[in-house]
Amino acid sequence: MKIYTKSGDKGTTSLIGGERVSKCDLRVEAYGTVDELTAFIALLADTIAQEQELMERVTELRRIESQLMTVAALLAIGKGGEGKIAPIAEERISDLEHAIDSMQERLSPITKFTIPGGHRYVSLAHVCRTICRRAERASLRASEIQTIDSSATRYLNRLSDYLYTLGRSLAEYTKAEEILWIP
């Protein structure tokens, strides 16, 4: 099977169900941003995988990559594709919440926002967080004109909280000084 089909040469693509839309369609923008996030999550996992003590986080990130493929698929549903992709299970959102709680138990409380930096692990977690927020905004814009399963946007919202907390946790792990925003 050839990887190129030439069907998109005129600026359109197919959604799940066969509907053809512009490559500038808000749904395409949303699932494309989720695809970008998935690639950066993989880079973060690959980067921290050299640390044996962080393998639990690597395993979580690999699970997240898989869930993001589902999020992207939910965003890519067009006419005729309804019901073909199962929503994100509530347990997957709970998994993120439990991981956040587990990391937060070990972190000292802060009263100011954390600014990315201090170590490449920390910065990369924040790159993922910012892409996740952009994916969430793109998904919400798409949901204003097309029905999008709400589990996709809920998952992205919780994932950005996870990535923020992961950044703080990685700062603690690397003994990097957390940079706090002081206006």
Side-chain angles (χ1 to χ4, degrees):
M1 179 174 114
K2 291 188 178 191
I3 190 70
Y4 56 90
T5 63
K6 300 181 185 180
S7 62
D9 288 353
K10 293 184 179 167
T12 63
T13 191
S14 290
L15 298 176
I16 295 171
E19 178 185 358
R20 292 214 50 96
V21 296
S22 166
K23 289 184 178 182
C24 297
D25 186 279
L26 291 175
R27 291 166 291 182
V28 177
E29 181 68 30
Y31 73 68
T33 306
V34 171
D35 188 30
E36 179 185 357
L37 173 61
T38 305
F40 272 97
I41 295 274
L43 178 60
L44 174 58
D46 291 344
T47 302
I48 67 172
Q50 60 191 322
E51 308 282 346
Q52 190 59 39
E53 300 87 4
L54 295 175
M55 290 313 290
E56 177 183 358
R57 299 295 168 231
V58 172
T59 300
E60 285 172 357
L61 291 168
R62 296 299 183 209
R63 280 191 217 116
I64 288 167
E65 288 175 55
S66 185
Q67 291 305 305
L68 287 173
M69 293 296 290
T70 302
V71 169
L74 288 168
L75 294 167
I77 295 173
K79 290 182 182 106
E82 301 85 357
K84 291 192 176 187
I85 305 296
I88 298 287
E90 192 60 41
E91 294 82 7
R92 299 300 70 85
I93 295 169
S94 293
D95 290 345
L96 291 176
E97 292 169 349
H98 293 306
I100 292 166
D101 294 343
S102 172
M103 286 186 281
Q104 269 193 303
E105 285 175 2
R106 293 180 234 141
L107 296 171
S108 58
I110 57 171
T111 58
K112 302 205 181 299
F113 192 79
T114 303
I115 296 175
H119 191 279
R120 64 189 166 111
Y121 296 175
V122 176
S123 297
L124 190 50
H126 283 284
V127 167
C128 292
R129 176 186 58 78
T130 61
I131 296 169
C132 187
R133 285 287 190 210
R134 181 162 35 93
E136 181 185 12
R137 290 189 304 272
S139 299
L140 290 168
R141 279 192 301 277
S143 73
E144 289 179 355
I145 61 161
Q146 189 72 32
T147 301
I148 305 279
D149 190 283
S150 66
S151 68
T153 53
R154 286 184 22 250
Y155 188 84
L156 290 171
N157 182 274
R158 206 69 78 251
L159 179 57
S160 64
D161 295 334
Y162 168 89
L163 292 166
Y164 176 78
T165 308
L166 179 60
R168 290 202 64 222
S169 180
L170 291 170
E172 190 229 6
Y173 172 79
T174 60
K175 299 187 181 1
E177 182 179 344
E178 278 192 294
I179 304 166
L180 301 178
W181 177 46
I182 301 173

PDB file of all heavy atoms in Angstrom, residues 126-157:
ATOM      1  N   HIS A 126       6.593  21.314  30.273  1.00  0.00           N
ATOM      2  CA  HIS A 126       5.802  22.538  30.067  1.00  0.00           C
ATOM      3  C   HIS A 126       5.518  22.786  28.587  1.00  0.00           C
ATOM      4  O   HIS A 126       4.460  23.335  28.246  1.00  0.00           O
ATOM      5  CB  HIS A 126       6.495  23.733  30.723  1.00  0.00           C
ATOM      6  CG  HIS A 126       6.312  23.761  32.206  1.00  0.00           C
ATOM      7  ND1 HIS A 126       5.136  24.157  32.802  1.00  0.00           N
ATOM      8  CD2 HIS A 126       7.153  23.420  33.218  1.00  0.00           C
ATOM      9  CE1 HIS A 126       5.250  24.069  34.119  1.00  0.00           C
ATOM     10  NE2 HIS A 126       6.458  23.609  34.396  1.00  0.00           N
ATOM     11  N   VAL A 127       6.411  22.379  27.694  1.00  0.00           N
ATOM     12  CA  VAL A 127       6.109  22.454  26.262  1.00  0.00           C
ATOM     13  C   VAL A 127       4.882  21.585  25.981  1.00  0.00           C
ATOM     14  O   VAL A 127       3.942  22.014  25.302  1.00  0.00           O
ATOM     15  CB  VAL A 127       7.322  22.011  25.402  1.00  0.00           C
ATOM     16  CG1 VAL A 127       6.912  21.783  23.954  1.00  0.00           C
ATOM     17  CG2 VAL A 127       8.445  23.038  25.480  1.00  0.00           C
ATOM     18  N   CYS A 128       4.877  20.381  26.533  1.00  0.00           N
ATOM     19  CA  CYS A 128       3.711  19.492  26.369  1.00  0.00           C
ATOM     20  C   CYS A 128       2.451  20.128  26.933  1.00  0.00           C
ATOM     21  O   CYS A 128       1.375  20.059  26.324  1.00  0.00           O
ATOM     22  CB  CYS A 128       3.979  18.145  27.036  1.00  0.00           C
ATOM     23  SG  CYS A 128       5.256  17.161  26.225  1.00  0.00           S
ATOM     24  N   ARG A 129       2.577  20.748  28.111  1.00  0.00           N
ATOM     25  CA  ARG A 129       1.414  21.394  28.741  1.00  0.00           C
ATOM     26  C   ARG A 129       0.847  22.492  27.846  1.00  0.00           C
ATOM     27  O   ARG A 129      -0.371  22.583  27.655  1.00  0.00           O
ATOM     28  CB  ARG A 129       1.804  21.986  30.104  1.00  0.00           C
ATOM     29  CG  ARG A 129       0.674  22.758  30.775  1.00  0.00           C
ATOM     30  CD  ARG A 129       1.153  23.445  32.054  1.00  0.00           C
ATOM     31  NE  ARG A 129       2.255  24.364  31.869  1.00  0.00           N
ATOM     32  CZ  ARG A 129       2.146  25.605  31.371  1.00  0.00           C
ATOM     33  NH1 ARG A 129       0.970  26.075  31.001  1.00  0.00           N
ATOM     34  NH2 ARG A 129       3.210  26.371  31.237  1.00  0.00           N
ATOM     35  N   THR A 130       1.708  23.320  27.269  1.00  0.00           N
ATOM     36  CA  THR A 130       1.208  24.429  26.454  1.00  0.00           C
ATOM     37  C   THR A 130       0.577  23.932  25.153  1.00  0.00           C
ATOM     38  O   THR A 130      -0.426  24.488  24.702  1.00  0.00           O
ATOM     39  CB  THR A 130       2.309  25.471  26.165  1.00  0.00           C
ATOM     40  OG1 THR A 130       3.373  24.856  25.441  1.00  0.00           O
ATOM     41  CG2 THR A 130       2.840  26.076  27.457  1.00  0.00           C
ATOM     42  N   ILE A 131       1.132  22.882  24.568  1.00  0.00           N
ATOM     43  CA  ILE A 131       0.523  22.303  23.367  1.00  0.00           C
ATOM     44  C   ILE A 131      -0.820  21.676  23.729  1.00  0.00           C
ATOM     45  O   ILE A 131      -1.793  21.784  22.974  1.00  0.00           O
ATOM     46  CB  ILE A 131       1.460  21.276  22.705  1.00  0.00           C
ATOM     47  CG1 ILE A 131       2.733  21.967  22.199  1.00  0.00           C
ATOM     48  CG2 ILE A 131       0.754  20.556  21.549  1.00  0.00           C
ATOM     49  CD1 ILE A 131       3.836  21.012  21.771  1.00  0.00           C
ATOM     50  N   CYS A 132      -0.880  21.058  24.901  1.00  0.00           N
ATOM     51  CA  CYS A 132      -2.141  20.468  25.360  1.00  0.00           C
ATOM     52  C   CYS A 132      -3.215  21.541  25.513  1.00  0.00           C
ATOM     53  O   CYS A 132      -4.362  21.342  25.103  1.00  0.00           O
ATOM     54  CB  CYS A 132      -1.913  19.736  26.685  1.00  0.00           C
ATOM     55  SG  CYS A 132      -3.341  18.805  27.255  1.00  0.00           S
ATOM     56  N   ARG A 133      -2.856  22.675  26.086  1.00  0.00           N
ATOM     57  CA  ARG A 133      -3.830  23.770  26.232  1.00  0.00           C
ATOM     58  C   ARG A 133      -4.290  24.264  24.856  1.00  0.00           C
ATOM     59  O   ARG A 133      -5.469  24.564  24.662  1.00  0.00           O
ATOM     60  CB  ARG A 133      -3.222  24.937  27.023  1.00  0.00           C
ATOM     61  CG  ARG A 133      -3.109  24.667  28.500  1.00  0.00           C
ATOM     62  CD  ARG A 133      -4.465  24.707  29.150  1.00  0.00           C
ATOM     63  NE  ARG A 133      -4.332  24.676  30.592  1.00  0.00           N
ATOM     64  CZ  ARG A 133      -5.224  24.148  31.402  1.00  0.00           C
ATOM     65  NH1 ARG A 133      -6.323  23.609  30.937  1.00  0.00           N
ATOM     66  NH2 ARG A 133      -5.032  24.157  32.692  1.00  0.00           N
ATOM     67  N   ARG A 134      -3.357  24.342  23.892  1.00  0.00           N
ATOM     68  CA  ARG A 134      -3.734  24.759  22.539  1.00  0.00           C
ATOM     69  C   ARG A 134      -4.666  23.732  21.903  1.00  0.00           C
ATOM     70  O   ARG A 134      -5.650  24.091  21.246  1.00  0.00           O
ATOM     71  CB  ARG A 134      -2.485  24.968  21.678  1.00  0.00           C
ATOM     72  CG  ARG A 134      -2.806  25.431  20.272  1.00  0.00           C
ATOM     73  CD  ARG A 134      -1.624  26.051  19.535  1.00  0.00           C
ATOM     74  NE  ARG A 134      -0.344  25.476  19.808  1.00  0.00           N
ATOM     75  CZ  ARG A 134       0.233  24.485  19.091  1.00  0.00           C
ATOM     76  NH1 ARG A 134      -0.407  23.964  18.057  1.00  0.00           N
ATOM     77  NH2 ARG A 134       1.433  24.051  19.395  1.00  0.00           N
ATOM     78  N   ALA A 135      -4.379  22.443  22.116  1.00  0.00           N
ATOM     79  CA  ALA A 135      -5.252  21.383  21.591  1.00  0.00           C
ATOM     80  C   ALA A 135      -6.640  21.485  22.209  1.00  0.00           C
ATOM     81  O   ALA A 135      -7.654  21.304  21.514  1.00  0.00           O
ATOM     82  CB  ALA A 135      -4.641  20.015  21.871  1.00  0.00           C
ATOM     83  N   GLU A 136      -6.681  21.781  23.497  1.00  0.00           N
ATOM     84  CA  GLU A 136      -7.979  21.931  24.173  1.00  0.00           C
ATOM     85  C   GLU A 136      -8.757  23.102  23.579  1.00  0.00           C
ATOM     86  O   GLU A 136      -9.955  22.980  23.286  1.00  0.00           O
ATOM     87  CB  GLU A 136      -7.761  22.137  25.669  1.00  0.00           C
ATOM     88  CG  GLU A 136      -9.047  22.277  26.448  1.00  0.00           C
ATOM     89  CD  GLU A 136      -8.830  22.595  27.926  1.00  0.00           C
ATOM     90  OE1 GLU A 136      -7.698  22.942  28.333  1.00  0.00           O
ATOM     91  OE2 GLU A 136      -9.823  22.528  28.667  1.00  0.00           O
ATOM     92  N   ARG A 137      -8.088  24.233  23.379  1.00  0.00           N
ATOM     93  CA  ARG A 137      -8.779  25.397  22.793  1.00  0.00           C
ATOM     94  C   ARG A 137      -9.271  25.087  21.383  1.00  0.00           C
ATOM     95  O   ARG A 137     -10.407  25.432  21.016  1.00  0.00           O
ATOM     96  CB  ARG A 137      -7.855  26.615  22.779  1.00  0.00           C
ATOM     97  CG  ARG A 137      -7.563  27.196  24.145  1.00  0.00           C
ATOM     98  CD  ARG A 137      -6.816  28.519  24.066  1.00  0.00           C
ATOM     99  NE  ARG A 137      -5.582  28.465  23.315  1.00  0.00           N
ATOM    100  CZ  ARG A 137      -4.383  28.151  23.824  1.00  0.00           C
ATOM    101  NH1 ARG A 137      -4.254  27.844  25.106  1.00  0.00           N
ATOM    102  NH2 ARG A 137      -3.312  28.141  23.056  1.00  0.00           N
ATOM    103  N   ALA A 138      -8.437  24.417  20.583  1.00  0.00           N
ATOM    104  CA  ALA A 138      -8.840  24.060  19.216  1.00  0.00           C
ATOM    105  C   ALA A 138     -10.038  23.110  19.242  1.00  0.00           C
ATOM    106  O   ALA A 138     -10.956  23.234  18.429  1.00  0.00           O
ATOM    107  CB  ALA A 138      -7.658  23.428  18.473  1.00  0.00           C
ATOM    108  N   SER A 139     -10.039  22.186  20.180  1.00  0.00           N
ATOM    109  CA  SER A 139     -11.153  21.237  20.306  1.00  0.00           C
ATOM    110  C   SER A 139     -12.440  21.950  20.701  1.00  0.00           C
ATOM    111  O   SER A 139     -13.517  21.636  20.192  1.00  0.00           O
ATOM    112  CB  SER A 139     -10.814  20.166  21.340  1.00  0.00           C
ATOM    113  OG  SER A 139      -9.672  19.443  20.932  1.00  0.00           O
ATOM    114  N   LEU A 140     -12.316  22.908  21.598  1.00  0.00           N
ATOM    115  CA  LEU A 140     -13.498  23.671  22.024  1.00  0.00           C
ATOM    116  C   LEU A 140     -14.041  24.518  20.873  1.00  0.00           C
ATOM    117  O   LEU A 140     -15.267  24.620  20.706  1.00  0.00           O
ATOM    118  CB  LEU A 140     -13.166  24.531  23.239  1.00  0.00           C
ATOM    119  CG  LEU A 140     -12.929  23.741  24.531  1.00  0.00           C
ATOM    120  CD1 LEU A 140     -12.324  24.639  25.610  1.00  0.00           C
ATOM    121  CD2 LEU A 140     -14.206  23.079  25.008  1.00  0.00           C
ATOM    122  N   ARG A 141     -13.141  25.117  20.073  1.00  0.00           N
ATOM    123  CA  ARG A 141     -13.608  25.874  18.902  1.00  0.00           C
ATOM    124  C   ARG A 141     -14.358  24.950  17.942  1.00  0.00           C
ATOM    125  O   ARG A 141     -15.415  25.299  17.425  1.00  0.00           O
ATOM    126  CB  ARG A 141     -12.440  26.546  18.179  1.00  0.00           C
ATOM    127  CG  ARG A 141     -11.988  27.847  18.801  1.00  0.00           C
ATOM    128  CD  ARG A 141     -11.028  28.620  17.907  1.00  0.00           C
ATOM    129  NE  ARG A 141      -9.813  27.881  17.572  1.00  0.00           N
ATOM    130  CZ  ARG A 141      -8.731  27.804  18.361  1.00  0.00           C
ATOM    131  NH1 ARG A 141      -8.715  28.413  19.533  1.00  0.00           N
ATOM    132  NH2 ARG A 141      -7.676  27.131  17.968  1.00  0.00           N
ATOM    133  N   ALA A 142     -13.797  23.760  17.714  1.00  0.00           N
ATOM    134  CA  ALA A 142     -14.445  22.800  16.816  1.00  0.00           C
ATOM    135  C   ALA A 142     -15.799  22.371  17.368  1.00  0.00           C
ATOM    136  O   ALA A 142     -16.759  22.210  16.604  1.00  0.00           O
ATOM    137  CB  ALA A 142     -13.541  21.586  16.602  1.00  0.00           C
ATOM    138  N   SER A 143     -15.888  22.219  18.682  1.00  0.00           N
ATOM    139  CA  SER A 143     -17.155  21.769  19.286  1.00  0.00           C
ATOM    140  C   SER A 143     -18.247  22.824  19.205  1.00  0.00           C
ATOM    141  O   SER A 143     -19.421  22.508  19.378  1.00  0.00           O
ATOM    142  CB  SER A 143     -16.930  21.338  20.741  1.00  0.00           C
ATOM    143  OG  SER A 143     -16.728  22.444  21.578  1.00  0.00           O
ATOM    144  N   GLU A 144     -17.877  24.060  18.928  1.00  0.00           N
ATOM    145  CA  GLU A 144     -18.888  25.112  18.770  1.00  0.00           C
ATOM    146  C   GLU A 144     -19.647  24.988  17.458  1.00  0.00           C
ATOM    147  O   GLU A 144     -20.739  25.514  17.318  1.00  0.00           O
ATOM    148  CB  GLU A 144     -18.241  26.497  18.885  1.00  0.00           C
ATOM    149  CG  GLU A 144     -17.798  26.825  20.303  1.00  0.00           C
ATOM    150  CD  GLU A 144     -17.129  28.184  20.413  1.00  0.00           C
ATOM    151  OE1 GLU A 144     -16.909  28.860  19.382  1.00  0.00           O
ATOM    152  OE2 GLU A 144     -16.816  28.567  21.553  1.00  0.00           O
ATOM    153  N   ILE A 145     -19.045  24.288  16.479  1.00  0.00           N
ATOM    154  CA  ILE A 145     -19.711  24.153  15.183  1.00  0.00           C
ATOM    155  C   ILE A 145     -20.075  22.714  14.842  1.00  0.00           C
ATOM    156  O   ILE A 145     -20.840  22.459  13.929  1.00  0.00           O
ATOM    157  CB  ILE A 145     -18.843  24.727  14.040  1.00  0.00           C
ATOM    158  CG1 ILE A 145     -17.522  23.983  13.938  1.00  0.00           C
ATOM    159  CG2 ILE A 145     -18.621  26.210  14.204  1.00  0.00           C
ATOM    160  CD1 ILE A 145     -16.823  24.158  12.614  1.00  0.00           C
ATOM    161  N   GLN A 146     -19.506  21.770  15.579  1.00  0.00           N
ATOM    162  CA  GLN A 146     -19.726  20.351  15.304  1.00  0.00           C
ATOM    163  C   GLN A 146     -19.806  19.608  16.632  1.00  0.00           C
ATOM    164  O   GLN A 146     -19.086  19.953  17.568  1.00  0.00           O
ATOM    165  CB  GLN A 146     -18.544  19.806  14.488  1.00  0.00           C
ATOM    166  CG  GLN A 146     -18.732  18.425  13.955  1.00  0.00           C
ATOM    167  CD  GLN A 146     -19.739  18.380  12.822  1.00  0.00           C
ATOM    168  OE1 GLN A 146     -19.874  19.317  12.050  1.00  0.00           O
ATOM    169  NE2 GLN A 146     -20.472  17.283  12.729  1.00  0.00           N
ATOM    170  N   THR A 147     -20.628  18.603  16.712  1.00  0.00           N
ATOM    171  CA  THR A 147     -20.718  17.828  17.944  1.00  0.00           C
ATOM    172  C   THR A 147     -19.426  17.040  18.132  1.00  0.00           C
ATOM    173  O   THR A 147     -19.026  16.270  17.260  1.00  0.00           O
ATOM    174  CB  THR A 147     -21.921  16.865  17.905  1.00  0.00           C
ATOM    175  OG1 THR A 147     -23.106  17.638  17.719  1.00  0.00           O
ATOM    176  CG2 THR A 147     -22.025  16.080  19.195  1.00  0.00           C
ATOM    177  N   ILE A 148     -18.769  17.281  19.258  1.00  0.00           N
ATOM    178  CA  ILE A 148     -17.539  16.575  19.634  1.00  0.00           C
ATOM    179  C   ILE A 148     -17.822  15.914  20.977  1.00  0.00           C
ATOM    180  O   ILE A 148     -18.357  16.553  21.880  1.00  0.00           O
ATOM    181  CB  ILE A 148     -16.342  17.554  19.792  1.00  0.00           C
ATOM    182  CG1 ILE A 148     -16.117  18.393  18.548  1.00  0.00           C
ATOM    183  CG2 ILE A 148     -15.097  16.832  20.251  1.00  0.00           C
ATOM    184  CD1 ILE A 148     -15.371  17.773  17.423  1.00  0.00           C
ATOM    185  N   ASP A 149     -17.459  14.658  21.106  1.00  0.00           N
ATOM    186  CA  ASP A 149     -17.677  13.978  22.381  1.00  0.00           C
ATOM    187  C   ASP A 149     -16.944  14.721  23.488  1.00  0.00           C
ATOM    188  O   ASP A 149     -15.751  15.001  23.379  1.00  0.00           O
ATOM    189  CB  ASP A 149     -17.180  12.529  22.284  1.00  0.00           C
ATOM    190  CG  ASP A 149     -17.596  11.726  23.486  1.00  0.00           C
ATOM    191  OD1 ASP A 149     -16.960  11.886  24.549  1.00  0.00           O
ATOM    192  OD2 ASP A 149     -18.571  10.960  23.385  1.00  0.00           O
ATOM    193  N   SER A 150     -17.662  15.052  24.545  1.00  0.00           N
ATOM    194  CA  SER A 150     -17.089  15.865  25.620  1.00  0.00           C
ATOM    195  C   SER A 150     -15.961  15.170  26.370  1.00  0.00           C
ATOM    196  O   SER A 150     -15.155  15.826  27.027  1.00  0.00           O
ATOM    197  CB  SER A 150     -18.175  16.296  26.602  1.00  0.00           C
ATOM    198  OG  SER A 150     -18.711  15.166  27.275  1.00  0.00           O
ATOM    199  N   SER A 151     -15.863  13.848  26.262  1.00  0.00           N
ATOM    200  CA  SER A 151     -14.764  13.152  26.945  1.00  0.00           C
ATOM    201  C   SER A 151     -13.416  13.586  26.378  1.00  0.00           C
ATOM    202  O   SER A 151     -12.409  13.585  27.103  1.00  0.00           O
ATOM    203  CB  SER A 151     -14.929  11.635  26.843  1.00  0.00           C
ATOM    204  OG  SER A 151     -14.757  11.166  25.519  1.00  0.00           O
ATOM    205  N   ALA A 152     -13.384  13.983  25.116  1.00  0.00           N
ATOM    206  CA  ALA A 152     -12.121  14.417  24.495  1.00  0.00           C
ATOM    207  C   ALA A 152     -11.619  15.703  25.133  1.00  0.00           C
ATOM    208  O   ALA A 152     -10.441  15.806  25.520  1.00  0.00           O
ATOM    209  CB  ALA A 152     -12.310  14.603  22.988  1.00  0.00           C
ATOM    210  N   THR A 153     -12.499  16.689  25.279  1.00  0.00           N
ATOM    211  CA  THR A 153     -12.063  17.959  25.869  1.00  0.00           C
ATOM    212  C   THR A 153     -11.821  17.828  27.367  1.00  0.00           C
ATOM    213  O   THR A 153     -10.922  18.468  27.905  1.00  0.00           O
ATOM    214  CB  THR A 153     -13.075  19.086  25.570  1.00  0.00           C
ATOM    215  OG1 THR A 153     -14.381  18.668  25.967  1.00  0.00           O
ATOM    216  CG2 THR A 153     -13.069  19.448  24.092  1.00  0.00           C
ATOM    217  N   ARG A 154     -12.596  16.991  28.035  1.00  0.00           N
ATOM    218  CA  ARG A 154     -12.351  16.769  29.473  1.00  0.00           C
ATOM    219  C   ARG A 154     -10.992  16.113  29.685  1.00  0.00           C
ATOM    220  O   ARG A 154     -10.260  16.471  30.603  1.00  0.00           O
ATOM    221  CB  ARG A 154     -13.473  15.919  30.081  1.00  0.00           C
ATOM    222  CG  ARG A 154     -14.752  16.736  30.250  1.00  0.00           C
ATOM    223  CD  ARG A 154     -15.925  16.050  30.927  1.00  0.00           C
ATOM    224  NE  ARG A 154     -15.619  14.926  31.774  1.00  0.00           N
ATOM    225  CZ  ARG A 154     -15.914  13.641  31.483  1.00  0.00           C
ATOM    226  NH1 ARG A 154     -16.507  13.336  30.341  1.00  0.00           N
ATOM    227  NH2 ARG A 154     -15.644  12.687  32.319  1.00  0.00           N
ATOM    228  N   TYR A 155     -10.651  15.154  28.829  1.00  0.00           N
ATOM    229  CA  TYR A 155      -9.355  14.482  28.942  1.00  0.00           C
ATOM    230  C   TYR A 155      -8.220  15.485  28.726  1.00  0.00           C
ATOM    231  O   TYR A 155      -7.250  15.507  29.494  1.00  0.00           O
ATOM    232  CB  TYR A 155      -9.247  13.321  27.940  1.00  0.00           C
ATOM    233  CG  TYR A 155      -8.005  12.497  28.161  1.00  0.00           C
ATOM    234  CD1 TYR A 155      -7.991  11.475  29.114  1.00  0.00           C
ATOM    235  CD2 TYR A 155      -6.843  12.740  27.447  1.00  0.00           C
ATOM    236  CE1 TYR A 155      -6.850  10.730  29.349  1.00  0.00           C
ATOM    237  CE2 TYR A 155      -5.691  11.997  27.668  1.00  0.00           C
ATOM    238  CZ  TYR A 155      -5.703  10.995  28.622  1.00  0.00           C
ATOM    239  OH  TYR A 155      -4.549  10.254  28.849  1.00  0.00           O
ATOM    240  N   LEU A 156      -8.346  16.327  27.717  1.00  0.00           N
ATOM    241  CA  LEU A 156      -7.297  17.328  27.451  1.00  0.00           C
ATOM    242  C   LEU A 156      -7.158  18.303  28.617  1.00  0.00           C
ATOM    243  O   LEU A 156      -6.043  18.686  28.990  1.00  0.00           O
ATOM    244  CB  LEU A 156      -7.589  18.079  26.154  1.00  0.00           C
ATOM    245  CG  LEU A 156      -7.436  17.268  24.873  1.00  0.00           C
ATOM    246  CD1 LEU A 156      -7.961  18.057  23.680  1.00  0.00           C
ATOM    247  CD2 LEU A 156      -5.984  16.844  24.654  1.00  0.00           C
ATOM    248  N   ASN A 157      -8.284  18.699  29.207  1.00  0.00           N
ATOM    249  CA  ASN A 157      -8.233  19.620  30.337  1.00  0.00           C
ATOM    250  C   ASN A 157      -7.479  18.997  31.507  1.00  0.00           C
ATOM    251  O   ASN A 157      -6.615  19.619  32.122  1.00  0.00           O
ATOM    252  CB  ASN A 157      -9.645  20.025  30.746  1.00  0.00           C
ATOM    253  CG  ASN A 157      -9.626  21.022  31.875  1.00  0.00           C
ATOM    254  OD1 ASN A 157      -9.567  20.653  33.048  1.00  0.00           O
ATOM    255  ND2 ASN A 157      -9.659  22.290  31.529  1.00  0.00           N
TER     256      ASN A 157
END
